[in-house]
Amino acid sequence: MLAKHLPSEDELNARKALELSQQGEYESAIELLNSLSDEYKQKGEIKLALAQCLLETNQFDVAEAVLNTIPMEYKDNFYKSLIAKLELHKQAADSPEIQSLEAALKANPEDLKLVAELALQYHQVNRDEDALELMWTPLSRNLNALDGDLKKSFMDILSALGQGNPIAAKYRRQLYSLLY
């Protein structure tokens, strides 16, 4: 009898997640939001909160996918600010500096210094998978490319991504298979 008058577990978790996101604890908020039931996750305000947390934790592709599913009635100023943040990231991720490095690398694909430079630029704009993919090809042929500097940069990006990152896990496995 009391159950219909008390907030559900999903409602309590959603409130807690919103509080966490307002306090800047985005990772914890994402975990709580992902633990909600599928029905509750379909609510517009939950999707907006999840998109905000994903943007704040630099998970831009996932955030874009969530933003694309927001119902029309929730496309307010907050939604527009999240879209603007996503657009700014996309513009920064394709800066003129990156474009010139990409052109130079296309002209000289064997220049490992260009590979390393472009990979670090990619990493700086959170295009980590592009960075790791770019470095992986020469590393798979020669682990000591650029006197080991390329491997060091590769490892630094893996470390920066952390243990729980699926992209880092994929490239760590590939690296370990090469080493052993």
Side-chain angles (χ1 to χ4, degrees), residues 3-163:
K4 58 184 169 184
H5 299 291
L6 295 173
S8 69
E9 186 177 338
D10 279 342
E11 194 173 331
L12 292 172
N13 283 342
R15 285 184 196 163
K16 179 70 175 161
L18 293 174
E19 286 175 24
L20 288 170
S21 72
Q22 289 174 348
Q23 296 168 0
E25 297 181 33
Y26 301 111
E27 293 286 339
S28 301
I30 289 172
E31 285 179 32
L32 272 176
L33 290 168
N34 283 331
S35 74
L36 299 175
S37 68
D38 289 339
E39 180 184 326
Y40 214 80
K41 285 181 192 176
Q42 295 307 313
K43 294 187 175 201
E45 61 269 11
I46 300 300
K47 288 181 177 184
L48 284 170
L50 180 60
Q52 177 193 17
C53 293
L54 290 168
L55 285 171
E56 295 297 335
T57 56
N58 299 326
Q59 299 178 49
F60 296 103
D61 293 337
V62 181
E64 183 174 21
V66 170
L67 285 170
N68 288 336
T69 65
I70 301 288
M72 186 56 119
E73 63 267 18
Y74 289 95
K75 293 186 177 181
D76 57 3
N77 286 338
F78 181 60
Y79 169 81
K80 290 176 184 168
S81 73
L82 294 177
I83 290 291
K85 189 177 277 194
L86 183 64
E87 290 300 318
L88 285 173
H89 163 72
K90 285 182 177 179
Q91 290 170 5
D94 202 24
S95 68
E97 187 175 331
I98 288 177
Q99 289 174 356
S100 69
L101 282 171
E102 286 172 339
L105 186 61
K106 194 174 254 185
N108 190 1
E110 297 302 313
D111 188 343
L112 296 181
K113 286 186 180 189
L114 282 175
V115 168
E117 254 183 88
L118 181 57
L120 291 175
Q121 288 295 319
Y122 280 161
H123 175 63
Q124 288 177 352
V125 295
N126 299 310
R127 290 175 60 182
D128 296 310
E129 189 163 12
D130 292 338
L132 292 169
E133 181 65 34
L134 184 64
M135 287 192 283
W136 178 249
T137 304
L139 278 177
S140 64
R141 286 187 236 126
N142 177 7
L143 271 176
N144 289 321
L146 282 181
D147 295 326
D149 287 344
L150 196 62
K151 182 172 76 175
K152 183 188 179 314
S153 297
F154 188 83
M155 295 299 291
D156 289 344
I157 292 174
L158 289 178
S159 295
L161 290 175
Q163 290 294 328

